[in-house]
Amino acid sequence: MKVDRIPFEIGKATPRADGSAKVSGKEKYAADYYEGDFLWAGVKRAGVPHATIKGIHTEAAEALPGVIAVLTWKDIPGENRLGIIRRNQPVLAETVVRHSGEAVALILAESRGALKGAIDSILLEYAPLPGVFSAQEALKESSPLVHEDNPEGNVIKAVSVETGACASAMGECDVVVGGVYETPVQEHAFLETEAGWAYRAENGACVIVASTQTPFRDCFEIAPVLGMDPGSIRVIAPYLGGAFGGKDGITVQCLLALALLHAGGRPVKIWWDREESFLAGVKRMNATMHYRLGAKQDGTFHALECRLYYDGGAYSPLGGEIMTLGAEHAGSAYRIPNVSVKGWALYTNNPVGGPFRGFGVPQVTAAMEQMVDMAARKLGMDPLSIRLQNVVRKGDRNCVGVILTHSTGAAECLETILGHPLWKTRDEWKKGAGLFKVRGVGLACMAHAMGYPPMVPDEARAKIELTAEGKIRVYAGVVDMGQGNASTYQQIAGHILVQDGPAMELVLPDTARTLPSGSSSASRTTYTYGNALIEAATDLKKAILKAASAQTGGTRPEEFVLVPDRVRHIPTGNEISLGELAGSMDGPARTATGYFRMPVTRERLDAIYMGPHLIFSYGAHLVYAEIDELTGQVEIARYLAITDAGKVMSPRVYEQQIEGATAMGIGYALTEDFKVANGSIVTQDLATYIIPTSMDIPRIESIPVEIAEETGPFGMKGAGEIGMSGPMPAIGNAICDACGIRILRAPFIGEAVHEALLSGNAEEADL
Amino acid sequence: MNVYLPGSLSELWSRQEECGMAQFFAGGTDLFVKLRASAQYPRALIGLEAVRELRSIEEREGAIFVGAGASHTRLLSHPLIQAHFPLLAKALRVLGSPPVRNMGTIGGNICTASPAGDALPPLYALGAEVELRRRDRSRRLPIHEFILGPGKTALAENELLYGVWLKKDDSPALFHFEKVGPRKALAIAIASFAALINSTDAGIVKKARFAWGSVGPVVVTSREAEESLVGFPLTRESLQRIVPIVDKIVSPIDDVRASASYRRALAGNLVLRLAEYGPREMGGKGEGLTRT
Amino acid sequence: MKIRFTLNGEAREMETDERRRVIDLLREDLTMTGTKEGCGTGECGACTILVNSESRLACLMVAPQLDGAEVMTIEGLARNGELHPLQKAFIEYGAIQCGFCTPGMVMASLDLLTRNPSPTEAEIREGISGNLCRCTGYQKIVEAVSAAASARKLGGRP
């Protein structure tokens, strides 16, 4: 055999497994199925933010040609409730609608035309209810209640973190800075809107192929609604056309399953259009954050006080948990001995808040990192020195009081900036601004926890198989929503088993074939599943070498090595193909599994709701920004992103995460503002909700600080979210560096910057 | 809804007579977005894309004629437009995106009559005339008499925007176009400004033409502003004199993209940008008033 | 109505409704799902196809506009099972993440390289500015297009 096949290697860029199919248009996403005699299903949505339903008039719709069925809550066989932590969201509204995108009726039709006609023909009769449209409003005693039966009023979750003695410590500070920051609602705007199809399997099971990050959890979430056993629902997640948290949980899945019950045995397809995705999909929660940071004259941070208000919208399946992660990260990557953080996630009649890359962390990082710059300016220090002085190092306690016993590379990230030409030559660049332009340089330092909190075991079960045909088949238990983790799984297994792409197969998440391994989220997909897979692949390797030895008389397994497609006997050079070997092994011997559970802290478990995290990724960002004095528009000229996400396993996939998160963060900082007025969405489409184009994003330089995380697969940590939190504060700091103005509400659109320039916003905004 | 794509003007007129209430469309980049959002379709659509005559860009009678169906991409790369009307080419370069420019047409941009239409400020500054046709009749109007308000034009029933006439003016002129949008591509103008300036060798303005987009129901022009710059160099100080005039003539609105007050401020500020072309000692590029 | 056109080099004749959007005709009627729909309003570029060698948005066209046209979709780019150099560059340079924008992005890049075989970085950014990508930050896409342009100068096929 000609040896030109190069097995996968850790640390080396390899082409993604999905590259060829995606670039040639062959990859089938959930939206791409038009199988058989299928029906279209679609939803009639509330259209008003808060009202009592007096009548749902479906007769006209039902009478239309091509309309098969119009379903309401009365057609739901089980419990009409969805939710992950709190089961309180109806699949179809009963007597009340709580946000304008709420589903009221489900329609099945022969064509999309008939579907649209039916949706338009359903008449909803309401008695309007007063609404509540902001988090602060929701907290007021006098506010209308979004959920009458919630014992805490409009509070989804309130948390409190106290370390040290913040109140007295604040008085000991030489300098105290403060401000009230507000971050906007952000829309995921993945290119593939929520989509899926469902069909009845021969065994009667309900099969749902959907664009979802959480196939296993979905089965358990929707089964009670349908009055079914979770085992009779199978969810398959193909490659997703982007998700970023917006497909963490139920979107179309339950509607598909319900529709299938009325489809007369025909498959059913749902594909929300962009406007429906904007209306009904979850959003990054807006946050209003009151901050006070106190420091000693020498620059040492001494006290931090934060009050955080997150708008969870009408249901917010994970709103309390998102805010909680924000509260845990309120002090970013610094040592602050005296901390008081109180946070509230609140119900309002706004669109549903939910997970979005970074969970609740980008909000607080935006506030904290601008506070750090304010403190630096007040103390006359440079923003890099003050960060280096206070940044957490291994062995320190973080703001929640957890001792950081794992890899902690925040300081190394900042030191990399210190030595970088972009930092050293920043003053020259600033001087080169043209007429009507001013230039500024900004910094941010970030931390992002990996995995679920201790109360929710973060675990994965990997499975790998030598197929009867002699291929190595990896059962990817965690969804690949575009980040390339499935390819990385292939790389891990290929590396251990010395195989290359053509020798391998991938099975994407499928509740009937892969093992439950948790969600594709929380910077945990490769860390947790990768560890489980290492164990599985290592076991399979042993089994293969043992089988080779058993087949070859008088040899020991140690005398064999794996090469692509084959096993080689080192002393003789004889080779056996994996196919041949597979024939000699029985099914169970050809399959191996692995299990991993992320380590958690054992101390301070009561420091915060669900317990604090132990392992973090870190980053430091540097931005060059140019502001146009005539228009207020901000242009990003250069961007430097330094990241500690442990060792880099797959450089290109890693860079994709950092560059992509940074670009998304730049959008969050500069243009993305999902506007809702009295519960109605103002930015209804991609023409008015502005995400960056290729001309708005600069060249991003990404440098990894490769500190091995001992518990990580090949030393890696999660890299998917850490880049998201840097751009907003870095750009805010750059604007302040350029013009001396501090804009407290993001995004920093041209108009806001122009207005701040006119009014000369002082940096200090005292409480 | 029937859709026709006649191959010639005569076929187009026959179709139109046959259909009665038909709607013309060119690139469809606005129309099909509107149709998607509406519950009603027009009885018939007549597309212009197959009528060769409507796509022509040529020199006629000492002027340049641009057929209503000429795409933005063809216009902005056409030698006649680049040679004589680089201002128009510059504005079209930032319209929408490449596929939108491939599909969209000058006629569509004019008939949509949006105050934010990117081609409009240059066309006003260039003193464009539009030619309107029926089967038996043709008439010409200056563009400012054709566009009456947002979405409103002087098109009579069964009348077609046939094309645009642009007078050649070969005296050296500075051309300037700036669009302020929410991002750099795929953007609808928050405000835009087009300027054509002739000057002496010493850099003193002899003649100026200005037009603002997105700061009123139609493109805004001002003879007063133009004349008040004559005799002055392009410096911040001299340009500043225009700002109060601009402030009087614009009537912007608040919408999802920007507030009226921001638009008002931009209208004045965008004029100041012309200082970039002014004397080097005043912070300009010192390039004088030659074509850039 | 009946329309005749060439799709990826192959003559087609089909009966269709005049109101049928080209994107639906491609995806649903011909099950060529490589062309994606991301917005339906011309704002994202995911449905970019080439019509008579120019990029067009399939969501803003109706079936009759294809009559007599030469249409190329992402499915027509590879020849005899071999990917186009531009497609290979997208893979090699890591220009693909979720991949939902990729077909449109490749078609827009092809349109650019047809008109401008040696684009600068700024010209590439402008050339793909009608194609939103939410995953990559565009950098690797720009690098892939640039590399494909350089490779073509060295004798690859157009």
Side-chain angles (χ1 to χ4, degrees):
Chain A
M1 190 186 96
K2 196 167 148 259
V3 189
D4 58 353
R5 292 177 57 177
I6 304 158
F8 284 110
E9 237 180 273
I10 298 298
K12 216 177 126 193
T14 45
R16 286 171 60 140
D18 50 358
S20 178
K22 283 180 175 175
V23 82
S24 56
K26 288 182 185 150
E27 188 60 54
K28 275 204 153 196
Y29 297 81
D32 289 337
Y33 290 88
Y34 298 87
E35 305 294 305
D37 188 20
F38 74 97
L39 292 171
W40 283 95
V43 177
K44 173 74 179 180
R45 297 195 179 273
V48 297
H50 201 195
T52 304
I53 300 176
K54 292 288 172 195
I56 305 171
H57 302 287
T58 61
E59 307 76 20
E62 280 161 333
L64 289 174
V67 175
I68 304 294
V70 180
L71 310 175
T72 66
W73 65 275
K74 290 177 184 159
D75 298 296
I76 291 171
E79 179 208 11
N80 181 24
R81 288 291 180 273
L82 290 171
I84 299 159
I85 306 286
R86 297 155 204 90
R87 256 184 113 75
N88 65 357
Q89 180 170 10
V91 178
L92 296 172
E94 292 165 15
T95 53
V96 179
V97 294
R98 297 185 177 87
H99 72 107
S100 58
E102 182 143 13
V104 181
L106 176 65
I107 300 98
L108 280 87
E110 294 283 353
S111 67
R112 261 202 285 192
L115 183 64
K116 187 176 185 298
I119 292 172
D120 293 343
S121 305
I122 294 172
L123 190 73
L124 302 177
E125 205 183 318
Y126 292 125
L129 291 169
V132 49
F133 302 114
S134 79
Q136 289 94 321
E137 217 184 297
L139 256 186
K140 286 183 193 153
E141 284 282 318
S142 56
S143 269
L145 289 177
V146 180
H147 294 269
E148 289 284 348
D149 55 351
N150 183 27
E152 284 97 54
N154 285 326
V155 176
I156 302 172
K157 185 80 206 168
V159 299
S160 172
V161 182
E162 300 289 336
T163 50
C166 179
S168 57
M170 201 61 88
E172 298 156 14
C173 293
D174 298 310
V175 161
V176 176
V177 289
V180 182
Y181 292 87
E182 195 186 344
T183 55
V185 174
Q186 190 181 21
E187 162 64 40
H188 300 77
F190 27 67
L191 264 284
E192 177 208 37
T193 51
E194 294 83 347
W197 72 296
Y199 60 95
R200 186 72 73 187
E202 276 172 28
N203 65 3
C206 162
V207 185
I208 300 168
V209 181
S211 195
T212 171
Q213 292 170 245
T214 48
F216 289 93
R217 200 175 74 205
D218 293 349
C219 291
F220 288 92
E221 197 173 343
I222 67 180
V225 177
L226 304 158
M228 286 164 83
D229 161 29
S232 61
I233 300 167
R234 174 180 174 193
V235 178
I236 300 172
Y239 284 115
L240 273 49
F244 314 111
K247 296 168 181 173
D248 179 319
I250 301 300
T251 58
V252 300
Q253 300 91 312
C254 201
L255 298 166
L256 280 169
L258 182 60
L260 196 62
L261 298 177
H262 297 265
R266 296 165 69 179
V268 182
K269 178 181 174 93
I270 296 185
W271 191 5
W272 294 356
D273 67 16
R274 180 58 62 186
E275 291 83 350
E276 188 171 13
S277 177
F278 272 33
L279 180 62
V282 298
K283 315 287 164 224
R284 183 186 305 285
M285 290 146 72
N286 109 304
T288 302
M289 300 163 285
H290 297 240
Y291 260 74
R292 285 176 80 209
L293 174 65
K296 299 289 185 120
Q297 197 58 50
D298 68 353
T300 307
F301 295 162
H302 189 57
L304 175 70
E305 184 194 78
C306 312
R307 300 292 175 263
L308 315 171
Y309 306 90
Y310 282 61
D311 179 353
Y315 295 101
S316 209
L318 287 168
E321 294 63 37
I322 291 166
M323 176 277 297
T324 302
L325 198 72
E328 189 182 349
H329 288 73
S332 190
Y334 302 104
R335 269 186 323 264
I336 310 176
N338 304 290
V339 174
S340 166
V341 181
K342 292 194 191 317
W344 292 265
L346 295 140
Y347 285 121
T348 65
N349 296 108
N350 285 329
V352 177
F356 193 158
R357 190 182 219 162
F359 227 49
V361 181
Q363 291 93 324
V364 288
T365 309
M368 179 65 195
E369 282 301 305
Q370 295 189 77
M371 298 292 307
V372 170
D373 262 43
M374 286 168 70
R377 284 167 80 98
K378 207 158 179 177
L379 287 161
M381 294 177 71
D382 91 67
L384 188 49
S385 307
I386 198 169
R387 284 179 169 84
L388 274 166
Q389 184 179 340
N390 290 287
V391 74
V392 286
R393 293 164 198 265
K394 193 169 178 174
D396 285 345
R397 280 187 196 275
N398 69 9
C399 291
V400 187
V402 171
I403 299 178
L404 300 169
T405 52
H406 288 253
S407 60
T408 308
E412 287 81 352
C413 289
L414 290 167
E415 280 155 8
T416 306
I417 286 188
L418 185 65
H420 196 279
L422 282 178
W423 177 253
K424 291 180 172 165
T425 61
R426 65 191 188 284
D427 288 333
E428 283 102 286
W429 180 75
K430 277 156 64 172
K431 282 179 204 141
L435 189 59
F436 304 118
K437 308 280 185 187
V438 276
R439 291 175 169 181
V441 174
L443 284 178
C445 181
M446 310 85 75
H448 195 95
M450 255 199 321
Y452 310 144
M455 289 268 289
V456 185
D458 191 317
E459 54 191 10
R461 291 164 190 84
K463 180 175 162 186
I464 188 166
E465 180 187 1
L466 171 65
T467 68
E469 295 74 36
K471 299 277 186 198
I472 301 294
R473 181 183 289 161
V474 178
Y475 291 83
V478 189
V479 170
D480 189 333
M481 51 183 163
Q483 74 271 53
N485 50 315
S487 295
T488 304
Y489 300 159
Q490 191 184 54
Q491 183 188 10
I492 291 172
H495 170 76
I496 293 170
L497 292 158
V498 202
Q499 301 301 310
D500 61 355
M504 301 182 74
E505 293 176 3
L506 260 174
V507 176
L508 296 180
D510 176 341
T511 57
R513 297 183 73 194
T514 59
L515 301 175
S517 293
S519 57
S520 184
S521 66
S523 295
R524 49 88 62 187
T525 55
T526 303
Y527 175 90
T528 306
Y529 189 85
N531 270 324
L533 183 60
I534 288 173
E535 184 181 294
T538 306
D539 280 359
L540 182 65
K541 182 177 179 177
K542 279 185 206 146
I544 290 172
L545 297 184
K546 196 173 140 201
S549 149
Q551 233 197 10
T552 317
T555 61
R556 288 174 296 119
E558 300 78 50
E559 292 169 23
F560 291 85
V561 286
L562 276 152
V563 295
D565 283 335
R566 317 175 81 79
V567 175
R568 182 182 296 152
H569 184 235
I570 305 167
T572 61
N574 290 339
E575 292 185 345
I576 319 167
S577 78
L578 286 178
E580 197 184 322
L581 206 52
S584 74
M585 299 163 76
D586 61 13
R590 286 189 281 106
T591 303
T593 59
Y595 171 82
F596 183 77
R597 181 168 173 174
M598 193 182 293
V600 295
T601 176
R602 289 284 158 230
E603 50 157 10
R604 301 271 307 158
L605 272 175
D606 57 351
I608 192 166
Y609 165 59
M610 287 202 166
H613 289 78
L614 180 60
I615 310 174
F616 295 79
S617 296
Y618 297 92
H621 286 186
L622 169 72
V623 64
Y624 276 22
E626 182 171 272
I627 292 97
D628 188 309
E629 292 177 317
L630 297 181
T631 64
Q633 291 192 310
V634 180
E635 175 167 321
I636 308 303
R638 295 292 296 270
Y639 205 98
L640 175 63
I642 319 290
T643 313
D644 161 31
K647 286 282 192 186
V648 175
M649 200 186 282
S650 185
R652 211 172 283 127
V653 171
Y654 169 89
E655 286 159 16
Q656 288 177 336
Q657 284 307 304
I658 303 302
E659 289 167 15
T662 300
M664 200 171 242
I666 291 174
Y668 187 44
L670 290 184
T671 59
E672 295 186 34
D673 193 359
F674 192 86
K675 289 183 191 155
V676 181
N678 293 324
S680 287
I681 294 166
V682 179
T683 47
Q684 297 181 4
D685 51 36
L686 283 172
T688 47
Y689 183 77
I690 305 297
I691 69 171
T693 71
S694 51
M695 295 177 78
D696 302 292
I697 299 296
R699 184 159 277 275
I700 298 161
E701 188 181 344
S702 161
I703 302 175
V705 172
E706 295 202 60
I707 301 166
E709 165 53 39
E710 283 172 16
T711 62
F714 304 101
M716 69 79 74
K717 293 190 284 193
E721 295 176 283
I722 182 71
M724 180 72 216
S725 300
M728 187 183 280
I731 293 169
N733 287 337
I735 293 170
C736 190
D737 182 48
C739 324
I741 55 168
R742 181 65 67 185
I743 303 166
L744 298 173
R745 190 196 183 280
F748 313 124
I749 58 170
E751 177 164 359
V753 176
H754 179 259
E755 199 183 300
L757 284 169
L758 282 184
S759 61
N761 272 20
E763 167 157 285
E764 281 286 338
D766 279 330
L767 296 173
Chain B
M1 183 179 77
N2 292 314
V3 183
Y4 301 104
L5 297 166
S8 67
L9 266 191
S10 60
E11 194 191 331
L12 181 146
W13 299 126
S14 309
R15 278 292 177 208
Q16 192 201 39
E17 279 158 24
E18 187 184 300
C19 303
M21 294 292 285
Q23 185 169 353
F24 293 120
F25 77 99
T29 52
D30 281 315
L31 178 77
F32 288 122
V33 175
K34 281 185 196 136
L35 287 186
R36 180 177 183 271
S38 82
Q40 280 173 325
Y41 286 115
R43 185 121 50 95
L45 289 180
I46 299 178
L48 311 184
E49 63 186 46
V51 184
R52 181 182 287 272
E53 182 179 346
L54 289 173
R55 294 199 305 267
S56 76
I57 301 171
E58 59 192 340
E59 202 159 347
R60 282 189 209 166
E61 307 156 28
I64 305 295
F65 171 79
V66 178
S71 74
H72 303 306
T73 298
R74 265 193 73 226
L75 267 168
L76 72 88
S77 56
H78 198 282
L80 281 174
I81 302 299
Q82 290 189 334
H84 302 292
F85 312 108
L87 174 67
L88 179 59
K90 195 171 180 188
L92 293 178
R93 247 193 109 117
V94 294
L95 182 152
S97 68
V100 169
R101 297 197 283 270
N102 288 343
M103 298 170 79
T105 62
I106 185 111
N109 207 251
I110 294 170
C111 288
T112 298
S114 159
D118 289 320
L120 303 183
L123 291 176
Y124 277 65
L126 290 163
E129 286 192 349
V130 295
E131 180 174 347
L132 311 175
R133 284 208 183 173
R134 281 200 260 192
R135 189 200 272 278
D136 54 349
R137 198 173 82 192
S138 153
R139 59 174 177 142
R140 280 205 203 180
L141 284 177
I143 189 154
H144 65 269
E145 288 179 24
F146 177 71
I147 295 177
L148 305 175
K152 266 190 230 155
T153 66
L155 268 181
E157 201 173 305
N158 296 334
E159 206 171 29
L160 170 75
L161 175 68
Y162 177 70
V164 182
W165 292 88
L166 293 163
K167 276 191 278 295
K168 282 200 298 184
D169 175 7
D170 287 329
S171 57
L174 171 112
F175 64 94
H176 172 83
F177 180 80
E178 180 172 359
K179 165 172 159 179
V180 178
R183 64 184 159 199
K184 287 190 182 162
L186 280 170
I188 293 173
I190 290 169
S192 62
F193 175 59
L196 281 170
I197 291 171
N198 293 53
S199 69
T200 66
D201 290 344
I204 301 302
V205 173
K206 284 198 298 189
K207 192 175 129 191
R209 285 277 173 274
F210 299 144
W212 290 262
S214 262
V215 289
V218 296
V219 167
V220 172
T221 55
S222 165
R223 188 53 51 85
E224 189 191 350
E226 291 165 353
E227 282 171 0
S228 66
L229 193 59
V230 173
F232 292 91
L234 288 180
T235 60
R236 193 169 181 151
E237 289 66 35
S238 58
L239 292 160
Q240 193 73 51
R241 297 154 39 87
I242 302 175
V243 174
I245 304 171
V246 176
D247 196 58
K248 277 187 297 178
I249 55 171
V250 298
S251 50
I253 56 159
D254 288 312
D255 68 10
V256 61
R257 287 177 193 89
S259 71
S261 62
Y262 180 51
R263 290 193 158 99
R264 178 175 291 280
L266 286 176
N269 283 359
L270 292 183
V271 176
L272 302 181
R273 187 84 71 201
L274 293 171
E276 278 195 354
Y277 304 93
R280 199 185 294 274
E281 62 274 18
M282 303 299 289
K285 290 175 194 153
E287 284 162 3
L289 297 186
T290 53
R291 283 199 162 142
T292 50
Chain C
M1 74 175 293
K2 187 172 276 185
I3 58 168
R4 293 182 188 84
F5 60 106
T6 313
L7 180 57
N8 299 329
E10 200 181 302
R12 296 268 185 165
E13 186 179 304
M14 60 191 289
E15 194 62 43
T16 181
D17 188 292
E18 290 171 86
R19 286 168 297 185
R20 195 74 170 150
R21 296 185 310 160
V22 167
I23 182 129
D24 297 326
L25 182 143
L26 291 171
R27 291 180 54 86
E28 204 166 338
D29 304 343
L30 299 173
T31 59
M32 294 179 67
T33 54
T35 303
K36 305 299 183 195
E37 178 167 2
C39 68
T41 53
E43 290 289 336
C44 78
C47 67
T48 305
I49 58 173
L50 300 188
V51 177
N52 299 328
S53 303
E54 251 190 1
S55 65
R56 290 274 189 281
L57 299 168
C59 75
L60 297 182
M61 291 180 77
V62 287
Q65 291 177 281
L66 292 188
D67 197 32
E70 250 180 63
V71 180
M72 187 187 260
T73 67
I74 189 71
E75 287 92 346
L77 220 51
R79 282 191 211 154
N80 306 320
E82 199 194 335
L83 295 178
H84 187 281
L86 194 52
Q87 292 174 306
K88 288 184 187 166
F90 265 62
I91 298 174
E92 194 186 332
Y93 285 81
I96 304 160
Q97 289 191 42
C98 91
F100 209 76
C101 77
T102 304
M105 199 64 90
V106 170
M107 298 313 277
S109 306
L110 187 64
D111 180 57
L112 168 72
L113 293 185
T114 308
R115 293 176 211 212
N116 179 359
S118 312
T120 61
E121 177 176 337
E123 287 166 341
I124 294 172
R125 286 187 180 272
E126 189 181 321
I128 59 168
S129 62
N131 295 75
L132 297 178
C133 170
R134 195 56 160 162
C135 297
T136 63
Y138 302 104
Q139 183 158 317
K140 293 198 171 346
I141 298 173
V142 173
E143 285 164 12
V145 176
S146 175
S150 310
R152 190 163 59 169
K153 273 179 274 172
L154 299 174
R157 85 181 150 86

